Amino acid sequence: MNRNLARHAHIASLRAKRPQISDEEVNQHRDAVGGSGLVAAIEPLIARSKGRHCTLSVHTLLTGMSLASRRNGGVVTFSTVTNLLFFSLSDTMRERLGLRRYPDNDRGFEAAYAVVRRLLHSILKAVDPSPLPKNHRMARRHADNLLAKADPRLLARKRNRLLQVSNMILGMSLREALPLLEERWKGSVSIDATVIGTYAKGMPQASPDTSTDPDAGWYVRTARHKDPLALDDLDPGQAAKGKQKAREQKKIDKIKKALYGYDASLVVARDPDHDGAPLSDGSADPGVVPALIIAFSIDKPSHRPGQVGVEALLHIDDRFPRGYLAGDRAYNDQKPENFQLPIRAMGYDPVYDYASDQLGVQAGFAGAQLVEGNWYCPSMPQPLKDATKDLLEKKITKQEWIDRIRARASYLFLPKQRPDAEGHRRMMCPAESGRAQCLLKPTTLGRGIHVPLVDPDPKPVDSPLCCKQRTITIPPESGANLWQPLQYGSEDWQRVYFRLRNSVEGINGFAKDPLHERLEDSGTRRVRGIAAQAILLAFQLAHANLRKLAAWADTIALNGDRPRRRPTRRRKTKPIGTWTPKGYTTTQP
């Protein structure tokens, strides 16, 4: 008997004693939830006049989820939420939150867990934009019938609710940074879709059954996938023939990565006018706010990337300005009505890179030609139009490409005024703006040999409208899928595009860190369905923001004191804004 008592005492000492959470910490999270607007947004969605009264409030559940996220690297599991709320709070705080007492044993934990689970599923049901059941496989034909019978307007309303709630959760992480963003950030963002796994096994496309998470889809990356920051696509005309071509095709189609899950479209705020380099004393610059995730959306991988990106942008707080918006080639390859025109209507100026089939002259209006996103004089020399093509085909050197890009500026149409309310903009002929001389416009001649002379080719028809008028009015839909305000390849374009694009790529790696949020790991979000994945992902993204802000604050020297830690070491290399699309550095004029 004594031996059993001793054994039980040893086992009791091995049991981890639950850490008690201070009332101050609970109140901090409770106040953050209360000030986010989440409770007012969710409670009307789950209100009911019949049935048993729920003993757990929405405010308390969200407080527990916020506590769990902060203590577990952004990961929220509902066993952790149950332990924190029902067994780790002081008696005073538990009474203040209206939490029912449960015995600290297996039955008590299961009863408390059931309360948490029921409220969670009530919230998920109210915001779930999918009519498909989760957690078990079903015949694909039955799933197709459910989708066909569902009310698309109801599903659209639920999706909007889901994104609203998820972005409110993310917004809690920005409360302390809002004064800094309002003062320092000018509204420039980068948008990118990053794949995240779901806690379910994906089924083949030809399978007669669905996955246990039917809302997700397959993300497949092959050897064809290229770095979106480099214009290195091969020219189709250079492809090998015969057996060599077959071998290359097999290599191209080889799958490098396959993941069943979702695409999270992240909107990252960044100021491209500052490089974020440390000050002379080695501390971080307090005037440069680090890149932060300010909005996001979620959907199947590579499914409606343009519309999903616009959904994320719609949830950015209206108090912030709108600046440049950088996106990879997935976005300038969309239909203009799905992405390019909506973002311009919001007030953003797009900044793009281009694939090999998007180079050179791509559109025209009133005689003006769209070359790599900018409107140019139709008589611009052909070598200047083909500058980037010739670079990729290795017909010219890097310095020749740089010189041609700079020479294009003399043929560039410049805006005469800001766009009107409908997006139309008056553009001035380069000769009329003093950048060139044109034989068709005698008043522009005699400016000196330093200004290029435009000599239009004789044509059997009348001159185009842009050559007969001082200005032309270009509608927003003309060349909308490729247009951008900055001259492609210029130093300004390089500075804005690469800094914005690198910020979102850096955030992806930061939040996927296996020591912290593990964003891509499906095991960090163990509730299936797009609604659960979006809400749990919001807590992870919020934690990444808080971790980044804390790391940044620790590298700042306050009141003349030394910082707590040094900022990331920067090598003495050329600034990012001096790189061309092929990786060559430009030389300053």
Side-chain angles (χ1 to χ4, degrees):
M1 185 64 179
N2 290 336
R3 184 178 300 174
N4 287 339
L5 290 175
R7 186 183 300 117
H8 287 179
H10 284 300
I11 293 174
S13 67
L14 292 175
R15 287 184 174 178
K17 187 176 180 181
R18 291 190 184 91
Q20 294 297 307
I21 303 175
S22 68
D23 292 355
E24 181 183 1
E25 182 180 356
V26 178
N27 282 327
Q28 288 177 354
H29 289 269
R30 188 164 178 259
D31 292 344
V33 171
S36 67
L38 278 166
V39 178
I42 293 175
E43 281 187 339
L45 303 178
I46 62 172
R48 56 184 183 179
S49 57
K50 298 180 180 180
R52 295 175 59 186
H53 174 70
C54 183
T55 59
L56 178 65
S57 70
V58 172
H59 196 163
T60 302
L61 174 63
L62 292 172
T63 300
M65 294 174 71
S66 181
L67 279 167
S69 171
R70 193 61 182 268
R71 286 174 164 258
N72 297 323
V75 178
V76 177
T77 60
F78 292 96
S79 57
T80 304
V81 174
T82 303
N83 265 325
L84 291 176
L85 288 179
F86 289 92
F87 304 105
S88 298
L89 304 184
S90 67
D91 292 340
T92 303
M93 181 56 65
R94 191 181 295 113
E95 183 177 353
R96 184 179 305 170
L97 296 177
L99 292 171
R100 180 179 173 182
R101 283 184 173 276
Y102 291 97
D104 192 2
N105 54 36
D106 57 344
R107 292 185 176 180
F109 177 84
E110 291 299 329
Y113 183 80
V115 172
V116 171
R117 187 173 180 272
R118 281 195 298 268
L119 181 56
L120 166 70
H121 283 281
S122 295
I123 296 173
L124 294 180
K125 183 179 180 181
V127 299
D128 190 356
S130 169
L132 302 180
K134 285 73 175 172
N135 298 320
H136 67 271
R137 294 176 184 171
M138 61 185 304
R140 197 174 295 276
R141 55 183 176 79
H142 183 42
D144 292 340
N145 289 335
L146 290 177
L147 289 171
K149 293 178 181 178
D151 183 356
R153 291 175 296 181
L154 175 61
L155 298 184
R157 286 198 299 271
K158 286 190 173 184
R159 179 171 178 83
N160 186 58
R161 293 174 190 166
L162 173 64
L163 296 179
Q164 179 187 16
V165 168
S166 300
N167 280 280
M168 282 181 173
I169 294 171
L170 175 63
M172 288 194 297
S173 65
L174 301 172
R175 289 185 66 190
E176 296 296 329
L178 282 179
L180 297 172
L181 289 172
E182 291 175 347
E183 179 184 1
R184 299 288 181 176
W185 178 51
K186 297 179 181 179
S188 293
V189 298
S190 184
I191 186 168
D192 190 35
T194 184
V195 65
I196 60 170
T198 186
Y199 200 60
K201 180 180 178 181
M203 302 298 290
Q205 293 290 342
S207 171
D209 298 325
T210 67
S211 168
T212 52
D213 189 342
D215 303 334
W218 279 104
Y219 168 86
V220 179
R221 183 187 225 177
T222 65
R224 187 187 295 270
H225 184 89
K226 297 293 184 180
D227 182 356
L229 299 186
L231 293 174
D232 53 0
D233 290 345
L234 294 175
D235 180 7
Q238 297 177 353
K241 298 181 180 180
K243 294 182 179 180
Q244 183 180 357
K245 183 176 180 180
R247 287 195 299 269
E248 288 185 359
Q249 186 64 36
K250 184 176 180 180
K251 182 179 179 181
I252 286 175
D253 293 339
K254 182 179 179 181
I255 295 176
K256 296 181 67 176
K257 179 180 180 180
L259 183 67
Y260 188 71
Y262 297 88
D263 260 353
S265 293
L266 308 182
V267 180
V268 178
R270 169 76 155 88
D271 182 3
D273 293 331
H274 298 87
D275 60 6
L279 300 177
S280 58
D281 62 357
S283 63
D285 187 348
V288 181
V289 184
L292 297 170
I293 306 166
I294 58 170
F296 81 103
S297 185
I298 185 173
D299 211 326
K300 292 181 179 179
S302 303
H303 184 67
R304 306 182 308 121
Q307 295 99 313
V308 176
V310 170
E311 286 178 333
L313 293 166
L314 288 172
H315 288 87
I316 296 177
D317 198 315
D318 290 336
R319 79 182 74 183
F320 297 126
R322 302 302 190 250
Y324 292 111
L325 187 151
D328 62 19
R329 299 176 193 168
Y331 294 99
N332 63 17
D333 197 33
Q334 298 296 299
K335 292 181 179 180
E337 61 269 23
N338 292 338
F339 183 75
Q340 292 90 334
L341 292 175
I343 65 170
R344 288 169 62 182
M346 294 179 196
Y348 290 103
D349 286 329
V351 187
Y352 300 129
D353 185 18
Y354 299 107
S356 58
D357 60 350
Q358 297 173 327
L359 303 176
V361 179
Q362 295 293 319
F365 179 80
Q369 294 181 339
L370 189 74
V371 181
E372 288 154 26
N374 308 118
W375 294 103
Y376 290 95
C377 171
S379 297
M380 183 170 70
Q382 194 63 36
L384 300 188
K385 296 178 183 178
D386 296 336
T388 310
K389 285 184 178 180
D390 290 345
L391 175 69
L392 298 184
E393 295 172 2
K394 299 183 179 180
K395 294 180 180 179
I396 60 175
T397 65
K398 59 181 181 180
Q399 188 58 49
E400 288 175 317
W401 179 83
I402 294 168
D403 293 340
R404 289 189 188 183
I405 291 296
R406 287 178 179 156
R408 282 181 179 178
S410 297
Y411 301 89
L412 183 66
F413 275 73
L414 295 179
K416 183 176 176 61
Q417 60 191 32
R418 296 181 63 84
D420 62 20
E422 297 179 350
H424 294 71
R425 171 177 276 181
R426 293 195 67 78
M427 304 290 287
M428 185 179 295
C429 163
E432 296 288 354
S433 62
R435 304 167 75 91
Q437 306 176 77
C438 182
L439 294 177
L440 295 178
K441 299 181 178 181
T443 58
T444 67
L445 300 177
R447 290 173 174 165
I449 60 174
H450 61 284
V451 179
L453 177 64
V454 177
D455 186 9
D457 295 331
K459 298 180 180 179
V461 296
D462 196 9
S463 299
L465 192 63
C466 69
C467 297
K468 296 189 295 182
Q469 299 181 174
R470 290 176 55 88
T471 62
I472 57 174
T473 301
I474 299 180
E477 63 268 19
S478 293
N481 59 323
L482 300 177
W483 176 84
Q484 59 179 321
L486 296 178
Q487 187 190 11
Y488 178 78
S490 66
E491 282 79 5
D492 285 341
W493 176 86
Q494 293 175 43
R495 171 180 53 82
V496 173
Y497 180 78
F498 286 108
R499 284 179 179 174
L500 290 178
R501 285 288 299 134
N502 282 337
S503 68
V504 75
E505 294 294 340
I507 281 286
N508 286 342
F510 185 83
K512 290 180 180 179
D513 189 334
L515 291 178
H516 298 284
E517 292 82 17
R518 295 173 287 156
L519 204 65
E520 191 173 313
D521 187 356
S522 62
T524 61
R525 297 172 302 278
R526 300 197 175 197
V527 186
R528 300 184 179 101
I530 189 171
Q533 292 289 306
I535 289 176
L536 297 180
L537 175 65
F539 280 103
Q540 290 177 288
L541 297 177
H543 188 273
N545 275 345
L546 292 170
R547 184 164 64 89
K548 192 158 195 180
L549 284 168
W552 172 70
D554 283 345
T555 60
I556 294 175
L558 298 176
N559 302 318
D561 295 334
R562 295 193 61 81
R564 291 180 180 174
R565 51 172 285 190
R566 292 184 300 172
T568 303
R569 179 175 67 89
R570 289 180 176 265
R571 297 180 178 89
K572 295 182 179 180
T573 54
K574 293 180 174 61
I576 192 65
T578 62
W579 293 85
T580 72
K582 281 291 290 185
Y584 303 129
T585 56
T586 62
T587 55
Q588 297 300 320

